[in-house]
Every structure is written in C-alpha cells, then in structure tokens.
C-alpha cells in the first residue's frame, strides 16, 4: 500500500534547502532569517506542500520561483512566513505620543494623514484611527493609510472582525463607541472603518512608492526582521515621506545607530520618535 503524503515522514531539509529558501525570502521581502528559525520555515513549508501536493522542497521551490502560478503561491508563503502577532494599542507609550502630537496639530486646517507600516491584521491602524477620532472630536480631517506585504492579512484587516480575546486591554467605553459585537466577535463600526485605507506594500521597494506627505508614520516591530543596513535604508525612505513637521515613530532599539538628516529626536524616555524639521516660511 502506498503511503499517503500526509502520513509520510517529512522530506530532508538540509543546509542547502534552508539556504535557498532563506535567500529567497530576504531577496524578495528583505526579511533576515537566523538559523534558529530553520524549524519554523521547515514546518510551514511542509504544511503548504501537503496542501498543494508537493513531496519535496526542490520541486516546490522551482514551482514558486519559475511557474506561472508562482506569484500567487509566493503570496501565500509570505503570509505563512511573516510574523503577525499584534494587538490593539500594543505600545501604550507610543500611542500616547501620537495622541499628544495630534493635540498640538488639531487646529490645523489641513487633512492629517497617518500611516501604519506593516499593519498586519489591522489592530494598529484602527488604534491610530480611534486616537485621531477622539483627539480631533470626530471631525473629518484625518485619514489612516495601512500597508503590509501580505495579501491574506490585508484581507483580514479590511474585514475588521476580531475575536473577543483581542480586547483585554481596550477600555469598555472604546469597545462600546467603536465596535459592534455579537457572540465572540467584534466588528469595527463603519464610520471608523471608512477612515482606514489598506494597500499592499513591500517596504524594501519603498523608493518606488508614491506615498508621501504623512503627518504621522508609525512603524514598530517590523525593522527587527531586517539586516542593520536595510533598517537604515527603510528608515531613510520613511523619513522622506514625512510632511514638514511630521512625526516618525519606530520601535525602540530597532535603529540604534541611525542618524537621520532633517529630523530631530523627540524627547521621550519610552518611545523612539523623530520630527521632520519645518522649512522656513512654513507653519
């Protein structure tokens, strides 16, 4: 009797196999995988190969890299390989910093644009939208752009439906004002959901992105997955997309030796943030 693939022993995942998958991931999305992530990659490859009927890593690799269906298959793999652990108001200190910044800018007549970079399943951009809505008293003078490299997680973010376990740190008044809920699911209310626009973006291709003139760029828990030189490169491209007077918030410790040009460090003991200097003659 022929042994079914789902019950067969996993194919050998040697150094060469790991190396080519690691190189592909870094080349395409910039992520650096340490040796400690080898079993993580192997497990996710095994699961996906069983789903699509491949019995060895090389054949599957060739399918992803060379076949006409490879682009769609790569999109699935990126979703499996990228870490999507997130929650609402994950870094309280940084969100407080956003709140204070918006308070100072609330009298401006311009539309305030916020950007969540590496938004995963949407908790971060919706958190930003809640803060902006409350600080600006519900006025329609802000928007939130949210980007991620993974199409499947963007679909989840657009759906804006979350399990109740996601709400442990959200005050009840925010739950009541910004969410509809039924059984074990919470749904972002339409008036807030409409303020957030989602788009696919690979941060290693930022130089080709038309995004610009943001008042807040929020990028946390993303740069840690890249090599040190690439972190600086990404941070530089993000800084270029700030509006004059705009604020860039990064994860503490992610770019410890970055010296940005045209930006000044925000004095805050709990967050890593920079303000883009105003041009003379501008507010």
């Amino acid at each position: 009797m022929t042994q079914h693939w789902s019950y067969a022993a996993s194919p050998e995942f040697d150094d060469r196999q790991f190396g080519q998958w690691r190189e592909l991931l870094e080349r395409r999305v910039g992520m650096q995988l340490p040796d400690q992530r080898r079993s993580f990659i192997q497990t996710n490859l095994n699961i996906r190969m069983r789903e699509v009927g491949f019995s060895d890593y090389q054949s599957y690799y060739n399918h992803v890299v060379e076949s006409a269906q490879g682009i769609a298959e790569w999109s699935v793999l990126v979703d499996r390989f990228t870490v999507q652990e997130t929650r609402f108001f994950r870094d309280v200190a940084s969100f407080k910093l956003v709140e204070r910044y918006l308070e100072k800018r609330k009298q401006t007549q311009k539309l305030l644009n916020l950007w969540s970079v590496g938004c995963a399943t949407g908790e971060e951009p919706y958190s930003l939208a809640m803060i902006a809505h409350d600080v600006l008293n519900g006025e329609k003078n802000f928007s939130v752009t949210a980007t991620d490299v993974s199409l499947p997680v963007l679909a989840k973010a657009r759906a804006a439906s979350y399990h109740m376990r996601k709400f442990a740190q959200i005050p009840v008044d925010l739950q009541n004002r910004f969410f509809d809920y039924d059984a074990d699911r919470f749904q972002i209310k339409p008036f807030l959901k409409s303020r957030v626009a989602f788009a696919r973006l690979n941060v290693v291709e930022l130089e080709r992105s038309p995004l610009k003139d943001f008042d807040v760029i929020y990028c946390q828990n993303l740069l840690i997955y890249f090599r040190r030189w690439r972190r600086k490169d990404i941070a530089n491209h993000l800084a270029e997309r700030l509006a004059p007077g705009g604020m860039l918030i990064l994860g503490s410790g992610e770019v410890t030796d970055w010296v940005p040009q045209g930006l000044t460090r925000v004095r805050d003991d709990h967050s890593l943030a920079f303000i883009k200097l105003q041009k003379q003659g501008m507010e």
Side-chain angles (χ1 to χ4, degrees):
M1 180 178 179
T2 303
Q3 190 177 31
H4 192 275
W5 160 236
S6 62
Y7 299 102
S10 297
E12 183 182 1
F13 193 62
D14 57 25
D15 291 343
R16 187 184 66 82
Q17 297 286 351
F18 177 54
Q20 69 177 2
W21 283 103
R22 179 162 59 177
E23 186 277 333
L24 183 66
L25 191 61
E26 181 168 2
R27 172 159 46 88
R28 289 193 173 183
V29 297
M31 287 183 59
Q32 180 186 12
L33 288 175
D35 291 340
Q36 294 88 336
R37 301 290 282 175
R38 180 170 178 156
S39 61
F40 169 80
I41 293 298
Q42 182 178 9
T43 298
N44 280 279
L45 283 174
N46 277 329
I47 293 172
R48 184 57 184 167
M49 285 162 58
R50 293 178 185 183
E51 291 172 352
V52 295
F54 284 87
S55 59
D56 68 273
Y57 298 110
Q58 192 60 52
S59 296
Y60 181 55
Y61 178 86
N62 294 340
H63 172 72
V64 171
V65 173
E66 300 171 3
S67 75
Q69 299 79 29
I71 295 176
E73 187 61 25
W74 175 249
S75 178
V76 175
L77 279 180
V78 168
D79 180 54
R80 303 289 177 90
F81 289 160
T82 53
V83 178
Q84 299 153 22
E85 172 57 35
T86 186
R87 59 183 181 273
F88 290 95
F89 303 100
R90 180 174 180 177
D91 188 324
V92 174
S94 293
F95 282 109
K96 286 290 185 183
L97 192 59
V98 172
E99 183 178 358
R100 294 195 298 271
Y101 173 83
L102 293 177
E103 284 283 358
K104 295 178 180 178
R105 299 293 305 276
K106 66 188 300 183
Q107 301 304 323
T108 184
Q109 298 301 308
K110 73 182 289 289
L111 178 76
L112 294 177
N113 297 308
L114 297 81
W115 180 11
S116 168
V117 186
C119 67
T121 47
E123 290 88 337
E124 181 177 284
Y126 290 127
S127 297
L128 291 171
M130 282 184 261
I131 291 173
H133 179 276
D134 279 359
V135 171
L136 303 174
N137 300 316
E139 296 294 331
K140 297 181 179 180
N141 59 345
F142 79 91
S143 68
V144 179
T145 298
T147 60
D148 200 277
V149 71
S150 170
L151 291 174
V153 301
L154 286 172
K156 294 175 184 177
R158 290 190 182 98
S161 179
Y162 301 96
H163 194 277
M164 283 188 66
R165 65 176 178 271
K166 290 277 187 178
F167 291 82
Q169 296 184 343
I170 298 182
V172 174
D173 70 304
L174 294 185
Q175 294 181 19
N176 292 334
R177 289 191 292 118
F178 294 116
F179 297 89
D180 294 318
Y181 50 94
D182 179 41
D184 64 345
R185 304 293 297 181
F186 279 68
Q187 181 83 32
I188 301 286
K189 288 188 175 182
F191 77 88
L192 190 74
K193 183 179 177 182
S194 66
R195 308 302 289 274
V196 183
F198 294 93
R200 184 185 181 278
L201 177 70
N202 186 343
V203 291
V204 302
E205 300 172 351
L206 269 172
E207 68 276 9
R208 300 205 296 267
S209 170
L211 296 174
K212 62 180 181 178
D213 295 330
F214 286 95
D215 299 283
V216 174
I217 298 180
Y218 196 100
C219 180
Q220 287 201 327
N221 305 300
L222 175 66
L223 298 183
I224 55 174
Y225 299 105
F226 299 92
R227 293 186 185 275
R228 202 173 274 182
W229 69 266
R230 198 184 291 275
R231 297 181 196 182
K232 296 178 185 178
D233 188 56
I234 293 171
N236 284 330
H237 284 301
L238 293 176
E240 291 170 358
R241 282 151 179 76
L242 281 173
M247 181 171 66
L248 171 63
I249 300 178
L250 303 173
S252 297
E254 291 185 330
V255 285
T256 53
D257 55 350
W258 182 52
V259 182
Q261 295 186 355
L263 276 69
T264 183
R265 174 79 183 270
V266 176
R267 293 183 179 180
D268 190 285
D269 294 334
H270 306 290
S271 300
L272 179 63
F274 303 86
I275 297 289
K276 189 168 188 176
L277 299 177
Q278 298 270 14
K279 294 181 181 178
Q280 288 189 355
M282 299 184 65
E283 294 184 357

